[in-house]
Amino acid sequence: MEKFFFITAMMLNLDTMEVTPKYQQMLVFYDRINCESYVQQNHTALKNGFKIYLDTNNINGELQSMGCTGLTMKEIEELELELDIDDDEDSIST
């Protein structure tokens, strides 16, 4: 069962006190090691981007943690995430 790895921010909604995952759908990785490495190397930029996401969408929330989540194609469909994979390997981050 092939998995695709998404950068995942765990967001605490300060209005409801619920923690929910938010998936970065613009970057997809074929393995966890590359995904985790990317998160470590770009943590500040990802954190700042998440803050912009919260502000733009008027969400009263804060980042709890950030990492990577592996999802199967079925899970991706169930979560209604967008995954645009072409046969050309350059179209997806690895």
Side-chain angles (χ1 to χ4, degrees), residues 53-73:
Y53 164 81
L54 293 175
D55 292 345
T56 301
N57 291 288
N58 295 318
I59 298 171
N60 184 21
E62 67 180 37
L63 179 66
Q64 292 294 292
S65 64
M66 192 177 320
C68 295
T69 302
L71 300 171
T72 64
M73 200 55 137

PDB file of all heavy atoms in Angstrom, residues 53-73:
ATOM      1  N   TYR A  53      -1.725  31.768   6.963  1.00  0.00           N
ATOM      2  CA  TYR A  53      -2.948  31.001   6.685  1.00  0.00           C
ATOM      3  C   TYR A  53      -4.016  31.296   7.746  1.00  0.00           C
ATOM      4  O   TYR A  53      -5.182  31.552   7.416  1.00  0.00           O
ATOM      5  CB  TYR A  53      -2.625  29.500   6.644  1.00  0.00           C
ATOM      6  CG  TYR A  53      -3.836  28.607   6.741  1.00  0.00           C
ATOM      7  CD1 TYR A  53      -4.629  28.354   5.620  1.00  0.00           C
ATOM      8  CD2 TYR A  53      -4.194  28.004   7.945  1.00  0.00           C
ATOM      9  CE1 TYR A  53      -5.745  27.538   5.706  1.00  0.00           C
ATOM     10  CE2 TYR A  53      -5.293  27.186   8.041  1.00  0.00           C
ATOM     11  CZ  TYR A  53      -6.074  26.963   6.930  1.00  0.00           C
ATOM     12  OH  TYR A  53      -7.179  26.157   7.010  1.00  0.00           O
ATOM     13  N   LEU A  54      -3.624  31.272   9.014  1.00  0.00           N
ATOM     14  CA  LEU A  54      -4.575  31.537  10.093  1.00  0.00           C
ATOM     15  C   LEU A  54      -5.139  32.955   9.984  1.00  0.00           C
ATOM     16  O   LEU A  54      -6.351  33.154  10.096  1.00  0.00           O
ATOM     17  CB  LEU A  54      -3.906  31.349  11.461  1.00  0.00           C
ATOM     18  CG  LEU A  54      -3.484  29.936  11.841  1.00  0.00           C
ATOM     19  CD1 LEU A  54      -2.737  29.942  13.171  1.00  0.00           C
ATOM     20  CD2 LEU A  54      -4.673  29.000  11.901  1.00  0.00           C
ATOM     21  N   ASP A  55      -4.257  33.930   9.775  1.00  0.00           N
ATOM     22  CA  ASP A  55      -4.686  35.324   9.681  1.00  0.00           C
ATOM     23  C   ASP A  55      -5.595  35.566   8.478  1.00  0.00           C
ATOM     24  O   ASP A  55      -6.620  36.228   8.591  1.00  0.00           O
ATOM     25  CB  ASP A  55      -3.471  36.254   9.602  1.00  0.00           C
ATOM     26  CG  ASP A  55      -2.665  36.294  10.896  1.00  0.00           C
ATOM     27  OD1 ASP A  55      -3.183  35.841  11.948  1.00  0.00           O
ATOM     28  OD2 ASP A  55      -1.512  36.762  10.852  1.00  0.00           O
ATOM     29  N   THR A  56      -5.228  35.000   7.320  1.00  0.00           N
ATOM     30  CA  THR A  56      -6.000  35.180   6.094  1.00  0.00           C
ATOM     31  C   THR A  56      -7.405  34.594   6.225  1.00  0.00           C
ATOM     32  O   THR A  56      -8.369  35.135   5.691  1.00  0.00           O
ATOM     33  CB  THR A  56      -5.278  34.522   4.898  1.00  0.00           C
ATOM     34  OG1 THR A  56      -3.992  35.121   4.766  1.00  0.00           O
ATOM     35  CG2 THR A  56      -6.052  34.686   3.612  1.00  0.00           C
ATOM     36  N   ASN A  57      -7.517  33.472   6.939  1.00  0.00           N
ATOM     37  CA  ASN A  57      -8.806  32.799   7.081  1.00  0.00           C
ATOM     38  C   ASN A  57      -9.521  33.161   8.385  1.00  0.00           C
ATOM     39  O   ASN A  57     -10.511  32.514   8.746  1.00  0.00           O
ATOM     40  CB  ASN A  57      -8.602  31.286   6.978  1.00  0.00           C
ATOM     41  CG  ASN A  57      -8.208  30.881   5.577  1.00  0.00           C
ATOM     42  OD1 ASN A  57      -9.031  30.905   4.672  1.00  0.00           O
ATOM     43  ND2 ASN A  57      -6.944  30.541   5.386  1.00  0.00           N
ATOM     44  N   ASN A  58      -9.015  34.183   9.085  1.00  0.00           N
ATOM     45  CA  ASN A  58      -9.609  34.638  10.348  1.00  0.00           C
ATOM     46  C   ASN A  58      -9.838  33.494  11.324  1.00  0.00           C
ATOM     47  O   ASN A  58     -10.906  33.383  11.939  1.00  0.00           O
ATOM     48  CB  ASN A  58     -10.924  35.387  10.081  1.00  0.00           C
ATOM     49  CG  ASN A  58     -10.697  36.658   9.305  1.00  0.00           C
ATOM     50  OD1 ASN A  58      -9.757  37.400   9.573  1.00  0.00           O
ATOM     51  ND2 ASN A  58     -11.544  36.910   8.322  1.00  0.00           N
ATOM     52  N   ILE A  59      -8.842  32.643  11.470  1.00  0.00           N
ATOM     53  CA  ILE A  59      -8.911  31.520  12.401  1.00  0.00           C
ATOM     54  C   ILE A  59      -8.166  31.908  13.667  1.00  0.00           C
ATOM     55  O   ILE A  59      -7.007  32.294  13.620  1.00  0.00           O
ATOM     56  CB  ILE A  59      -8.289  30.247  11.780  1.00  0.00           C
ATOM     57  CG1 ILE A  59      -9.073  29.832  10.536  1.00  0.00           C
ATOM     58  CG2 ILE A  59      -8.263  29.122  12.811  1.00  0.00           C
ATOM     59  CD1 ILE A  59      -8.419  28.717   9.741  1.00  0.00           C
ATOM     60  N   ASN A  60      -8.846  31.797  14.792  1.00  0.00           N
ATOM     61  CA  ASN A  60      -8.238  32.075  16.086  1.00  0.00           C
ATOM     62  C   ASN A  60      -7.572  30.779  16.553  1.00  0.00           C
ATOM     63  O   ASN A  60      -8.159  29.981  17.271  1.00  0.00           O
ATOM     64  CB  ASN A  60      -9.294  32.546  17.091  1.00  0.00           C
ATOM     65  CG  ASN A  60      -8.686  32.946  18.417  1.00  0.00           C
ATOM     66  OD1 ASN A  60      -7.499  33.245  18.512  1.00  0.00           O
ATOM     67  ND2 ASN A  60      -9.506  32.938  19.454  1.00  0.00           N
ATOM     68  N   GLY A  61      -6.361  30.563  16.077  1.00  0.00           N
ATOM     69  CA  GLY A  61      -5.692  29.308  16.374  1.00  0.00           C
ATOM     70  C   GLY A  61      -4.206  29.498  16.541  1.00  0.00           C
ATOM     71  O   GLY A  61      -3.667  30.582  16.345  1.00  0.00           O
ATOM     72  N   GLU A  62      -3.561  28.404  16.928  1.00  0.00           N
ATOM     73  CA  GLU A  62      -2.106  28.424  17.045  1.00  0.00           C
ATOM     74  C   GLU A  62      -1.551  27.064  16.686  1.00  0.00           C
ATOM     75  O   GLU A  62      -2.223  26.033  16.794  1.00  0.00           O
ATOM     76  CB  GLU A  62      -1.663  28.849  18.437  1.00  0.00           C
ATOM     77  CG  GLU A  62      -2.004  27.888  19.535  1.00  0.00           C
ATOM     78  CD  GLU A  62      -1.534  28.371  20.902  1.00  0.00           C
ATOM     79  OE1 GLU A  62      -1.599  29.573  21.174  1.00  0.00           O
ATOM     80  OE2 GLU A  62      -1.119  27.510  21.695  1.00  0.00           O
ATOM     81  N   LEU A  63      -0.311  27.086  16.257  1.00  0.00           N
ATOM     82  CA  LEU A  63       0.390  25.880  15.866  1.00  0.00           C
ATOM     83  C   LEU A  63       0.811  25.101  17.116  1.00  0.00           C
ATOM     84  O   LEU A  63       1.440  25.657  18.007  1.00  0.00           O
ATOM     85  CB  LEU A  63       1.630  26.246  15.039  1.00  0.00           C
ATOM     86  CG  LEU A  63       2.509  25.103  14.570  1.00  0.00           C
ATOM     87  CD1 LEU A  63       1.766  24.236  13.572  1.00  0.00           C
ATOM     88  CD2 LEU A  63       3.788  25.657  13.948  1.00  0.00           C
ATOM     89  N   GLN A  64       0.443  23.836  17.180  1.00  0.00           N
ATOM     90  CA  GLN A  64       0.848  22.979  18.287  1.00  0.00           C
ATOM     91  C   GLN A  64       2.109  22.196  17.944  1.00  0.00           C
ATOM     92  O   GLN A  64       3.002  22.055  18.762  1.00  0.00           O
ATOM     93  CB  GLN A  64      -0.274  22.000  18.658  1.00  0.00           C
ATOM     94  CG  GLN A  64      -1.479  22.671  19.267  1.00  0.00           C
ATOM     95  CD  GLN A  64      -1.154  23.276  20.614  1.00  0.00           C
ATOM     96  OE1 GLN A  64      -0.899  22.560  21.561  1.00  0.00           O
ATOM     97  NE2 GLN A  64      -1.140  24.594  20.684  1.00  0.00           N
ATOM     98  N   SER A  65       2.156  21.656  16.738  1.00  0.00           N
ATOM     99  CA  SER A  65       3.320  20.897  16.284  1.00  0.00           C
ATOM    100  C   SER A  65       3.265  20.782  14.771  1.00  0.00           C
ATOM    101  O   SER A  65       2.237  21.038  14.153  1.00  0.00           O
ATOM    102  CB  SER A  65       3.352  19.500  16.921  1.00  0.00           C
ATOM    103  OG  SER A  65       2.239  18.734  16.505  1.00  0.00           O
ATOM    104  N   MET A  66       4.414  20.377  14.196  1.00  0.00           N
ATOM    105  CA  MET A  66       4.484  20.217  12.751  1.00  0.00           C
ATOM    106  C   MET A  66       5.316  18.985  12.441  1.00  0.00           C
ATOM    107  O   MET A  66       6.340  18.749  13.085  1.00  0.00           O
ATOM    108  CB  MET A  66       5.113  21.455  12.112  1.00  0.00           C
ATOM    109  CG  MET A  66       4.955  21.487  10.625  1.00  0.00           C
ATOM    110  SD  MET A  66       5.615  22.979   9.854  1.00  0.00           S
ATOM    111  CE  MET A  66       5.148  24.269  10.967  1.00  0.00           C
ATOM    112  N   GLY A  67       4.871  18.209  11.499  1.00  0.00           N
ATOM    113  CA  GLY A  67       5.586  16.996  11.107  1.00  0.00           C
ATOM    114  C   GLY A  67       5.067  16.516   9.774  1.00  0.00           C
ATOM    115  O   GLY A  67       4.610  17.307   8.945  1.00  0.00           O
ATOM    116  N   CYS A  68       5.112  15.202   9.575  1.00  0.00           N
ATOM    117  CA  CYS A  68       4.666  14.610   8.318  1.00  0.00           C
ATOM    118  C   CYS A  68       3.677  13.488   8.588  1.00  0.00           C
ATOM    119  O   CYS A  68       3.808  12.763   9.574  1.00  0.00           O
ATOM    120  CB  CYS A  68       5.863  14.055   7.551  1.00  0.00           C
ATOM    121  SG  CYS A  68       7.013  15.342   7.036  1.00  0.00           S
ATOM    122  N   THR A  69       2.708  13.365   7.703  1.00  0.00           N
ATOM    123  CA  THR A  69       1.708  12.318   7.807  1.00  0.00           C
ATOM    124  C   THR A  69       1.671  11.538   6.505  1.00  0.00           C
ATOM    125  O   THR A  69       1.579  12.131   5.432  1.00  0.00           O
ATOM    126  CB  THR A  69       0.308  12.915   8.076  1.00  0.00           C
ATOM    127  OG1 THR A  69       0.355  13.675   9.280  1.00  0.00           O
ATOM    128  CG2 THR A  69      -0.742  11.828   8.200  1.00  0.00           C
ATOM    129  N   GLY A  70       1.733  10.212   6.608  1.00  0.00           N
ATOM    130  CA  GLY A  70       1.618   9.341   5.443  1.00  0.00           C
ATOM    131  C   GLY A  70       0.176   8.931   5.236  1.00  0.00           C
ATOM    132  O   GLY A  70      -0.483   8.451   6.158  1.00  0.00           O
ATOM    133  N   LEU A  71      -0.317   9.147   4.037  1.00  0.00           N
ATOM    134  CA  LEU A  71      -1.700   8.811   3.705  1.00  0.00           C
ATOM    135  C   LEU A  71      -1.755   7.957   2.446  1.00  0.00           C
ATOM    136  O   LEU A  71      -1.003   8.193   1.500  1.00  0.00           O
ATOM    137  CB  LEU A  71      -2.516  10.082   3.465  1.00  0.00           C
ATOM    138  CG  LEU A  71      -2.618  11.081   4.622  1.00  0.00           C
ATOM    139  CD1 LEU A  71      -3.275  12.369   4.147  1.00  0.00           C
ATOM    140  CD2 LEU A  71      -3.392  10.479   5.773  1.00  0.00           C
ATOM    141  N   THR A  72      -2.644   6.989   2.456  1.00  0.00           N
ATOM    142  CA  THR A  72      -2.884   6.184   1.257  1.00  0.00           C
ATOM    143  C   THR A  72      -3.796   6.970   0.318  1.00  0.00           C
ATOM    144  O   THR A  72      -4.407   7.970   0.720  1.00  0.00           O
ATOM    145  CB  THR A  72      -3.560   4.844   1.606  1.00  0.00           C
ATOM    146  OG1 THR A  72      -4.865   5.131   2.156  1.00  0.00           O
ATOM    147  CG2 THR A  72      -2.741   4.037   2.591  1.00  0.00           C
ATOM    148  N   MET A  73      -3.904   6.519  -0.898  1.00  0.00           N
ATOM    149  CA  MET A  73      -4.770   7.179  -1.872  1.00  0.00           C
ATOM    150  C   MET A  73      -6.221   7.180  -1.373  1.00  0.00           C
ATOM    151  O   MET A  73      -6.929   8.193  -1.525  1.00  0.00           O
ATOM    152  CB  MET A  73      -4.652   6.483  -3.230  1.00  0.00           C
ATOM    153  CG  MET A  73      -5.093   7.342  -4.353  1.00  0.00           C
ATOM    154  SD  MET A  73      -4.206   8.906  -4.338  1.00  0.00           S
ATOM    155  CE  MET A  73      -3.855   9.069  -6.021  1.00  0.00           C
TER     156      MET A  73
END
